[in-house]
Amino acid sequence: MPTFVDNKLSYIPWGGDNQIPFAILDLIEKDETLATCQCFNAEVCYGSGLRYDTCFVSVSVKNEVEDFILDNDLASYFLGVSQGFKHFGFAVSVLILNEDGTKIVRLIRKEASYCRFAPADASGKIPKILYANWRKVVSIFFRI
């Protein structure tokens, strides 16, 4: 059942107390063998990382690609995405565009354990993903 934040915003909690992903991570971290295996699985999924080839592009495109690689830690990004898939079965990425909206300038991974989905619409599309510190939820009560 959705949890309502207000009249326009609700999300699907992750388990009865909304703490399932943190419980999963705690269980993984408590078992050294499991933690090592999960890390190994993520690394296998990750492989040898992203390889890009700029042999057949212009100098300006090559420079843009190299600038993007320098500004974004892609190795860390892809390993984190792989861990998200291995632990929770999904990953959330945020694309930051330039002012014109014509190219991607940043690529950011959001930790799956801090993501919650809004309820799907009639066509099955999830309209929003909420990102927050769900470990420290503050309840607000209103008096009327």
Side-chain angles (χ1 to χ4, degrees):
M1 294 299 298
T3 298
F4 291 90
V5 176
D6 60 28
N7 291 339
K8 295 181 181 180
L9 184 63
S10 63
Y11 65 91
I12 304 299
W14 210 338
D17 63 355
N18 202 26
Q19 299 296 302
I20 292 290
F22 306 115
I24 291 170
L25 291 174
D26 288 342
L27 289 171
I28 290 170
E29 290 171 6
K30 284 180 184 175
D31 186 326
E32 184 177 330
T33 303
L34 178 59
T36 302
C37 289
Q38 284 290 352
C39 187
F40 174 78
N41 287 340
E43 288 173 356
V44 168
C45 180
Y46 170 69
S48 61
L50 176 69
R51 296 177 187 251
Y52 63 96
D53 184 3
T54 55
C55 292
F56 301 106
V57 299
S58 67
V59 174
S60 64
V61 169
K62 181 178 180 176
N63 290 338
E64 284 187 45
V65 169
E66 289 175 357
D67 287 345
F68 182 83
I69 299 299
L70 288 173
D71 291 342
N72 294 275
D73 184 359
L74 293 183
S76 174
Y77 168 80
F78 282 113
L79 183 58
V81 165
S82 296
Q83 286 176 324
F85 277 120
K86 287 295 177 182
H87 293 160
F88 305 112
F90 73 95
V92 175
S93 298
V94 177
L95 303 175
I96 308 295
L97 303 176
N98 64 357
E99 288 182 21
D100 300 334
T102 57
K103 69 178 180 177
I104 299 169
V105 294
R106 291 278 325 265
L107 181 60
I108 301 169
R109 175 188 65 89
K110 295 295 187 180
E111 293 180 56
S113 57
Y114 292 99
C115 295
R116 300 296 182 273
F117 299 116
D121 62 18
S123 66
K125 181 179 177 184
I126 297 171
K128 294 180 181 146
I129 297 175
L130 290 86
Y131 184 80
N133 186 353
W134 301 100
R135 282 188 191 212
K136 299 180 180 179
V137 177
V138 177
S139 297
I140 300 174
F141 297 97
F142 295 96
R143 286 190 184 182
I144 298 177

